[in-house]
Amino acid sequence: MTEKGVQLATADFADWLAERRREHVFAVRRIDFADLKGWHFISRTGNLVHNSGRFFTVEGLHVRTTTGLFPEWHQPIIRQPEVGILGILAKEFDGVLHFLMQAKMEPGNPNLLQLSPTVQATRSNYTRVHRGSPVRYLEYFAGPRRGRVLADVLQSEHGSWFYRKNNRNMIVETSDEVPPHPDFCWLTLGQLDALLGRDNTVNMDARTVLSSLPPRTDDPAGRLALNPDVDVLSWLTEHRSTHDWTIEPVPLLGLPEWRRTEREITREDGRYFDVVAVAVEAASREVTSWTQPLIEPRGEGVTAFLVHEFDGVPHVLAHARMEGGLPGVVEVAPTVQCVPENYPADRRPRHLDQVLSAPPSRIRYSALHSEEGGRFRDAVSRYLLVDAEDALAREQLPPDYAWLSVRQLERLTGAGLAVNVQARTLLACLRSVPDAS
């Protein structure tokens, strides 16, 4: 059901979200680091930390590797060792499964308010280190079970900006009477599919949880993947084990090629991203005002799967991609994942030009999506599903690329810590496109 759920018609969703935006005061403004309240730079290391010792820290990272376009680099990175909960509550109404979604303000979202999971909280938040209000509906995801678990898996976060960060992705079905709240609404999966086609509407946390749903249909008899599952697992394992890399947390102070001013930590050449500080007002959050650091990327990203059908079976061209912050260092990633402006002409990422030059007839899906708005400011990428040229489907691939069937991508996602967050967003988007999965 894509047009109407038990609570809201899809055509009325934008009005509902706008009403929630009018109902609360939301404001975000850039500030100097000196105006951060509850945060400080450690004099010895230069690391940016919260006075409580909780939430997260901004540190330095030094990476050396034998794979990828760049053999060595330094960067700031967020260290947040806590495992948060990203949970969506599900319930049947009139025989149709609905999902309880939240209109949630996050300071880094370009439009502030987006659709998020029922629960989206770090351990510091749901244990109320901030002394704020309790997290609504947390009881369905923490403590004694109050429903049937449809999905429960650990997933990585952005490996370029987080150091070994995991979150627990959960979907729990209940038969309870769930107390209503005006900032939450019940939507069908068809409605969520439709909203995934709208720019900056469904947030990153909701997208990754939706990607963890079990496959919607079984593989019909005879629809075989190009490569057996064991070969796909061997391909990923090989890339995790045969390259050399050294990944070391280092002090933020004196990080090569980076400098700190009163308002930002930035690269001397102006590329990649900055670390900035903001002051936030959000009347609908557990704490209504606070200050915090955010990572602010330079430029709009491009994130794409090239897709092709082999003997009628949909496949995506996956990349075994190394990222310095990933728990397993290498995960399955999209064909293309980059900010084009960061790369000189002689180091363009493979397949980027094919994606950017694709005619409209080959583009199956295109939408702008922002990344985790609680840690990243205006981090927006265009997500695309692009039909591969026939010649590419016949080519011998470089060792770090492989064709995976959509079902194989789903199974790897369900196993956890194997598919990166950008590829999981594209999986959720792929499932929303008729006949693409």
Side-chain angles (χ1 to χ4, degrees), residues 35-90:
D35 294 325
L36 283 169
K37 294 179 173 58
W39 296 83
H40 67 279
F41 289 100
I42 297 176
S43 58
R44 179 174 55 86
T45 63
N47 293 347
L48 182 54
V49 304
H50 193 264
N51 293 351
S52 68
R54 302 287 295 276
F55 299 106
F56 63 93
T57 63
V58 182
E59 307 178 2
L61 193 72
H62 180 202
V63 180
R64 286 172 290 178
T65 178
T66 58
T67 185
L69 293 173
F70 302 98
E72 183 176 14
W73 71 90
H74 294 80
Q75 66 167 91
I77 200 159
I78 294 173
R79 183 196 283 261
Q80 186 174 346
E82 301 177 343
V83 176
I85 293 177
L86 308 178
I88 296 179
L89 190 62

Side-chain angles (χ1 to χ4, degrees), residues 91-140:
K91 184 179 178 178
E92 278 196 6
F93 294 93
D94 299 325
V96 177
L97 197 63
H98 286 63
F99 301 87
L100 186 60
M101 309 300 292
Q102 177 184 181
K104 187 179 181 73
M105 182 275 189
E106 294 178 286
N109 289 339
N111 52 354
L112 296 185
L113 200 66
Q114 294 187 17
L115 205 59
S116 85
T118 318
V119 168
Q120 177 185 320
T122 66
R123 186 181 297 134
S124 290
N125 284 340
Y126 69 74
T127 58
R128 301 173 67 185
V129 172
H130 50 38
R131 297 185 177 86
S133 303
V135 173
R136 194 168 275 107
Y137 305 118
L138 178 66
E139 64 272 16
Y140 290 96

Side-chain angles (χ1 to χ4, degrees), residues 325-338:
L326 289 175
V329 184
V330 174
E331 290 188 354
V332 174
T335 319
V336 173
Q337 178 189 317
C338 69

